[in-house]
Amino acid sequence: MLVSSSPVLRRQLFLIRCLGGCVHQSYKKIQRVNCSSMEAMEADSTQVIRKITPSLDPTRHKGQAGKVAVIGGCREYTGAPYFAAISALKIGADLSHVFCTKDAAAVIKSYSPELIVHPVLEESYSIRDVEKESVSAKVLAEVTKWMERFDCLVVGPGLGRDPFLLDCVSKIMRHARRSNIPIVIDGDGLFLVTNNLDLVSGYPLAVLTPNVNEYKRLIEKVLICEVNNEDAAQQLLSLARSIGGVTILRKGKSDLISDGEIVKSVSIFGSPRRCGGQGDILSGSVAVFSSWARQHVSSEKESVDYSSQNPMVLGSIAGSALVRKAASLAFEKNKRATLTTDIIDCLGASVQNICPV
Amino acid sequence: MLVSSSPVLRRQLFLIRCLGGCVHQSYKKIQRVNCSSMEAMEADSTQVIRKITPSLDPTRHKGQAGKVAVIGGCREYTGAPYFAAISALKIGADLSHVFCTKDAAAVIKSYSPELIVHPVLEESYSIRDVEKESVSAKVLAEVTKWMERFDCLVVGPGLGRDPFLLDCVSKIMRHARRSNIPIVIDGDGLFLVTNNLDLVSGYPLAVLTPNVNEYKRLIEKVLICEVNNEDAAQQLLSLARSIGGVTILRKGKSDLISDGEIVKSVSIFGSPRRCGGQGDILSGSVAVFSSWARQHVSSEKESVDYSSQNPMVLGSIAGSALVRKAASLAFEKNKRATLTTDIIDCLGASVQNICPV
């Protein structure tokens, strides 16, 4: 078992929810019972990146450095899935797919010939009620026939909130989970998961990457209390534990990462620009690094201490640090005009700085 | 009250219009009665840009540096809304949306993955008469559900003149006005507004950015006289006052800016190239700077003199100066081949020159 969830804590939280009143007090008590007070240790992210990044061995063949798929892209959003998918390639993955709606596909394809874009998702507006069941089955079949090839899914960038589309994506996630494929969840994927916690609860290969608002909604939904910034590490640990040991990368001034067992921080300086799309780079990066970390951990000959070797935690640390490094380089060059594409342009140099070939 | 309109003047002008004859003479008399003769003072635009541009504080999160939306883009025009929206990001806004027709959306999306493009507007050719009411309601609903998130709208770049589309845009503008969202109006938005002055009349958060022809039509419609270049500042002041204190940025060799209370000029050298699209850069820039100026003015602790602190005037001064600076840099490099995209490429360096991070 990769991480241990705490059924005791979950049952206690369930009871608190049922009791309703004085939730905050009761939750604080549980925190004291279950977790001793703690600070997040700064991760040695350079060492993590160096450890998990595979060597570029000429004998390796296409696909061995990673195949990722982004589930996202709808009528409104096309930039976000592109950012996630192209970032995966720029870091060093071999193949990057996007599964999106028909409307989004042509546009995403036009951003780059490097991506493989599947126009398979459907939104409510394009189908009649009577067709929904058959279309849903068809969408699932179209995606799952590819599923086994992927080392990691990224669910959420530019997904939108169409109920029919989200219902199809829930089925895709359940299938991925049965196939033990890691899933990084961001953006509207977090909206879906926050309202359907069973999709990820107890799945150690899930990574959630919430920003300040998404984290607030998660905390309110799962721990039924407010965000506590004074005891941030402790609360994140409780949250990850309450969702059964998923990994959570809480984005902020410092990124905090926990799987319910440990809490790590990544604080190296990034960029003060907050232009939209940086979260998509992160989700694509975490997908690649988590895949590499899984390969690395499974290749270790000695028995390892999983609490410090959870590949989803290692992948999150590496992704967080690398995107910060790239953002810092891009900001140095472009200053206030820095956009997400500028940061993507710096991913390669950042990997090379840390991990020269 | 941000600016005071002059009901007396407006009533007098109304009377003149009704009388028809000897308009010019009567208007000149009113000018003498209501406004003492004046020259436009050159704005200290560098100081304005430095004052209103927010610091890049690492604790800030996505959206705090500005979220703008461009309403424009139809079957014929796709470049203009792109220029306005991408300029906003290059100056330092965090998020930039475009609301356009379905035909325009895929193309605008393909110009840049950084924009969020909503294919929601409709033109007459694509709908039947019986559908118009329901489609209009749907368009309004699709745009207004986003409205509260925006710090400023830009109405007009590449909007076209389809009557049904303009009718929908009128409704969007009325909604924005009820929500106190600033609106920068250019291009075909000015055609709409000149024929429907009630859309902006008395709204202190509106900025009109007419070029020479658009200004002529406004003067003829509102003041019922010819453009008077000898007394340009005075006439602009009267025009802004007659429309109830909106801010007008009159583009020309020198840009003149008035809200009916003061008149400022921006004369720093730009570029002698007059390629299409520069006005779109300006409208996007004014949108961002006005948002920043509003933040700045509202954060001032002391009571301020609004006549020199109208955020729409400050935003117009900053936008005018910055675009001139960027055009000058672009022309230095590209000479006669200078295009709008070259000027956009120089926006970042221009902000950095004035306001180093």
Side-chain angles (χ1 to χ4, degrees), chain A residues 163-177:
Chain A
F164 176 74
L165 190 146
L166 291 184
D167 186 61
C168 291
V169 172
S170 300
K171 289 172 181 158
I172 294 167
M173 288 177 74
R174 288 199 182 92
H175 184 97
R177 189 174 168 165

Side-chain angles (χ1 to χ4, degrees), chain A residues 13-253:
Chain A
L13 284 167
F14 177 76
L15 277 170
I16 291 165
R17 269 174 231 143
C18 297
L19 288 167
C22 53
V23 165
H24 210 149
Q25 284 307 315
S26 307
Y27 165 64
K28 281 195 168 171
K29 200 170 161 191
I30 285 178
Q31 271 193 313
R32 278 195 295 272
V33 171
N34 288 278
C35 324
S36 58
S37 184
M38 66 183 303
E39 284 292 316
M41 287 273 288
E42 181 71 9
D44 184 351
S45 55
T46 300
Q47 188 256 342
V48 169
I49 292 174
R50 287 189 182 145
K51 186 169 73 173
I52 66 177
T53 300
S55 64
L56 285 169
D57 179 341
T59 62
R60 286 162 69 95
H61 57 79
K62 185 170 79 177
Q64 286 188 309
K67 303 179 291 293
V68 305
V70 177
I71 316 284
C74 63
R75 189 168 57 155
E76 276 173 330
Y77 304 113
T78 51
Y82 162 73
F83 291 144
I86 199 77
S87 298
L89 290 179
K90 289 277 186 176
I91 284 169
D94 284 344
L95 290 164
S96 196
H97 292 241
V98 176
F99 292 84
C100 60
T101 68
K102 290 186 180 68
D103 288 332
V107 176
I108 299 172
K109 285 168 187 277
S110 79
Y111 291 145
S112 169
E114 312 280 357
L115 306 177
I116 301 163
V117 184
H118 307 256
V120 297
L121 301 182
E122 296 277 0
E123 289 181 86
S124 303
Y125 75 88
S126 65
I127 48 167
R128 289 173 302 160
D129 279 354
V130 291
E131 297 171 321
K132 282 188 173 168
E133 206 170 321
S134 66
V135 171
S136 175
K138 202 177 146 204
V139 168
L140 187 66
E142 291 264 22
V143 181
T144 53
K145 73 180 180 193
W146 290 88
M147 194 77 88
E148 297 295 332
R149 312 187 190 197
F150 298 129
D151 298 302
C152 190
L153 299 188
V154 181
V155 173
L159 194 59
R161 295 193 177 182
D162 179 76
F164 176 74
L165 190 146
L166 291 184
D167 186 61
C168 291
V169 172
S170 300
K171 289 172 181 158
I172 294 167
M173 288 177 74
R174 288 199 182 92
H175 184 97
R177 189 174 168 165
R178 282 195 298 273
S179 308
N180 274 319
I181 293 165
I183 315 176
V184 178
I185 300 148
D186 191 42
D188 292 319
L190 287 170
F191 169 81
L192 172 64
V193 159
T194 304
N195 295 319
N196 302 274
L197 284 165
D198 62 298
L199 289 172
V200 292
S201 188
Y203 187 48
L205 298 179
V207 180
L208 316 185
T209 58
N211 64 19
V212 60
N213 290 321
E214 291 154 351
Y215 188 71
K216 184 169 181 284
R217 283 195 289 269
L218 263 176
I219 286 285
E220 286 168 358
K221 183 70 187 273
V222 179
L223 299 184
I224 316 174
C225 65
E226 297 298 310
V227 173
N228 175 0
N229 285 319
E230 280 165 30
D231 218 358
Q234 187 94 57
Q235 192 174 37
L236 178 65
L237 188 94
S238 299
L239 181 67
R241 194 170 286 186
S242 297
I243 313 177
V246 300
T247 296
I248 302 173
L249 192 174
R250 180 195 173 178
K251 296 180 278 196
K253 195 182 160 207

Side-chain angles (χ1 to χ4, degrees), chain A residues 250-294:
Chain A
R250 180 195 173 178
K251 296 180 278 196
K253 195 182 160 207
S254 289
D255 291 344
L256 282 182
I257 296 151
S258 180
D259 59 354
E261 293 292 316
I262 57 164
V263 186
K264 292 282 185 180
S265 66
V266 176
S267 310
I268 58 169
F269 184 67
S271 150
R273 274 286 274 146
R274 294 289 174 267
C275 50
Q278 295 183 60
D280 306 311
I281 309 181
L282 181 67
S283 62
S285 307
V286 170
V288 178
F289 282 119
S290 300
S291 309
W292 289 350
R294 278 189 96 197

Side-chain angles (χ1 to χ4, degrees), chain B residues 50-202:
Chain B
R50 286 187 184 147
K51 186 167 74 172
I52 65 177
T53 300
S55 65
L56 284 169
D57 179 342
T59 62
R60 287 163 70 97
H61 57 79
K62 186 170 78 175
Q64 287 187 306
K67 304 180 289 294
V68 305
V70 177
I71 316 283
C74 61
R75 192 167 54 158
E76 277 173 327
Y77 304 113
T78 51
Y82 162 76
F83 290 144
I86 199 78
S87 298
L89 290 178
K90 289 278 186 176
I91 285 169
D94 283 345
L95 291 164
S96 197
H97 292 240
V98 175
F99 292 84
C100 60
T101 67
K102 290 184 180 68
D103 288 331
V107 177
I108 299 172
K109 283 168 187 278
S110 77
Y111 292 147
S112 169
E114 310 279 358
L115 306 177
I116 299 165
V117 183
H118 306 258
V120 296
L121 301 182
E122 296 278 2
E123 289 180 86
S124 303
Y125 74 85
S126 66
I127 47 167
R128 289 173 301 158
D129 279 355
V130 291
E131 297 172 320
K132 283 188 172 167
E133 207 171 321
S134 66
V135 171
S136 174
K138 203 179 146 204
V139 168
L140 187 66
E142 291 262 24
V143 181
T144 55
K145 75 179 179 193
W146 289 90
M147 194 77 87
E148 298 294 332
R149 311 186 190 198
F150 298 128
D151 298 303
C152 192
L153 298 189
V154 181
V155 173
L159 194 59
R161 295 192 179 181
D162 179 76
F164 176 75
L165 189 146
L166 291 184
D167 186 62
C168 290
V169 171
S170 300
K171 288 173 183 159
I172 293 167
M173 288 177 74
R174 288 199 182 92
H175 185 98
R177 188 173 169 166
R178 283 195 298 274
S179 307
N180 275 319
I181 294 165
I183 315 176
V184 178
I185 300 147
D186 190 43
D188 293 319
L190 287 170
F191 169 80
L192 173 64
V193 159
T194 304
N195 295 318
N196 302 273
L197 284 166
D198 63 297
L199 287 173
V200 293
S201 187

Side-chain angles (χ1 to χ4, degrees), chain B residues 40-44 236 255-258 262-266 313 317:
Chain B
M41 289 272 287
E42 180 70 10
D44 184 350
L236 178 64
D255 291 344
L256 282 182
I257 296 151
S258 180
I262 57 166
V263 187
K264 292 282 185 180
S265 66
V266 177
V313 170
I317 291 168

